[in-house]
Amino acid sequence: MTLDAPEKSGTTHAGLARWVAEVAALTTPDEVRWVTGSADEWTELTDKLVAAGTFTRLNEDIKPNSFHAASSPRTSHGSRSAPSSAAATRRTRGPPTTGWTRSR
């Protein structure tokens, strides 16, 4: 994992820099990157997402600077075979919401 040195972190807040370092140590990302929101940075990051197949650019004439963001079918709500409630009975899980009751 790479973590920017404090002088390159984009913050002068020592507590924030420490917290980011602590979270990075717990989550072990490949890289920690401080973003500035610049136009060059936006272009770089969106180009990487397009190259990875996560983003698909939409028609620039109709939707400038817009993308379709694909998610993994394994993580989408529609792929679950059971409701998201972990409660064992209807009484303990509360009132029905989308997907909790069968069609009649």
Side-chain angles (χ1 to χ4, degrees), residues 39-55:
D40 288 342
E41 183 177 69
W42 181 87
T43 299
E44 178 188 351
L45 292 174
T46 55
D47 286 350
K48 283 183 178 180
L49 289 165
V50 169
T54 304
F55 275 11

Side-chain angles (χ1 to χ4, degrees), residues 8 14-15 21 35 56 59 84 86-87 98:
K8 291 177 57 182
V35 295
T56 302
N59 185 322
S84 59
T98 303

Side-chain angles (χ1 to χ4, degrees), residues 1-5 24 28-34:
M1 174 200 58
T2 61
L3 181 63
D4 288 340
T28 63
D30 293 334
E31 176 185 15
V32 173
R33 181 167 178 177
W34 294 82

Side-chain angles (χ1 to χ4, degrees), residues 3 10 25 36 38 50 53 57-58 67 72 75 80-81 86:
L3 181 63
T36 63
S38 71
V50 169
R57 290 185 195 281
L58 299 180
F67 305 87
S72 168
T75 61
R80 286 195 285 240
S81 61

